[in-house]
Amino acid sequence: MKVLAISGSLRRDSHNTALLRAAAELVPPPVELEIFDGLKAVEPYDEDDDVGAGPDGARRLRDAMASADAILIATPEYNSSIPGQLKNAIDWASRPFATAALRNKPAAVIGASTGMFGAVWAQAELRKVLGAMGARVIEAELPVAHAADLWDGEQLKLEPNQSEQLEEILSQLVASAEPAVALA
């Protein structure tokens, strides 16, 4: 089983990418967690360009999502909402609606921020958007507040309760994807 992980942050030393690396260490075998590295290359959504497979960056994203059994997104919070490049990528993945890469795909949202709320508003907004586009969204959140205090220069050192929450979200995500994997 493959979980595609997408960081909503483009920063090289992103707390949200580090959060996904922490998730990769917690997924149970034989689950594989692959971090998508092409968010920055996804072109601005333009319906005029949405023909055939679409432009290269959008095609790579759609293909990666389509080949995954589940999606895990870690989002920062920009202006109390979803970062623009992440929302743009989700727009590409939502079309065409009937055959969209995320349609009926299990998805979970987590997030880290340097502030005291751990990107809770962005997580709620992203769960709403994913649900509207037809994904099967896990209704759980993991707000990692004050992420800079947990950063050791290479990774996030999650508190034990945060690690437990992350393991539970991953468990729910994998369980949600298992019936579809069994049919494949």
Side-chain angles (χ1 to χ4, degrees):
M1 174 181 301
K2 182 169 118 182
V3 175
L4 181 69
I6 300 170
S7 173
S9 176
L10 302 177
R11 288 181 51 241
R12 179 182 54 249
D13 293 329
S14 162
H15 297 117
N16 284 280
T17 303
L19 183 55
L20 292 176
R21 286 194 300 269
E25 294 177 11
L26 296 174
V27 292
V31 177
E32 171 193 350
L33 189 140
E34 174 188 318
I35 299 176
F36 181 74
D37 66 353
L39 186 65
K40 194 172 198 171
V42 177
E43 300 80 2
Y45 184 79
D46 181 341
E47 193 170 356
D48 291 339
D49 295 336
D50 195 2
V51 292
D56 289 343
R59 180 190 43 75
R60 269 191 70 221
L61 174 72
R62 285 175 169 168
D63 290 349
M65 287 181 167
S67 70
D69 299 301
I71 307 294
L72 176 66
I73 301 175
T75 184
E77 189 167 290
Y78 293 175
N79 297 316
S80 303
S81 192
I82 307 164
Q85 186 66 8
L86 178 58
K87 176 62 169 76
N88 177 67
I90 297 300
D91 288 344
W92 274 108
S94 72
R95 300 168 193 270
F97 183 75
T99 59
L102 281 176
R103 186 153 171 80
N104 206 30
K105 182 109 27 185
V109 178
I110 57 179
S113 74
T114 57
M116 63 189 286
F117 297 113
V120 292
W121 286 354
Q123 289 181 64
E125 288 287 318
L126 187 52
R127 282 194 308 275
K128 178 181 81 172
V129 170
L130 291 170
M133 60 185 285
R136 290 185 291 128
V137 182
I138 304 298
E139 288 300 324
E141 65 184 24
L142 174 62
V144 179
H146 304 290
D149 296 340
L150 302 173
W151 181 252
D152 76 353
E154 293 183 20
Q155 62 185 18
L156 287 182
K157 299 291 188 182
L158 296 177
E159 299 292 335
N161 66 322
Q162 293 169 325
S163 289
E164 289 173 17
Q165 283 181 277
L166 183 52
E167 281 184 291
E168 178 58 31
I169 289 168
L170 292 167
S171 176
Q172 289 178 40
L173 184 61
V174 168
S176 184
E178 284 175 342
V181 171
L183 293 175

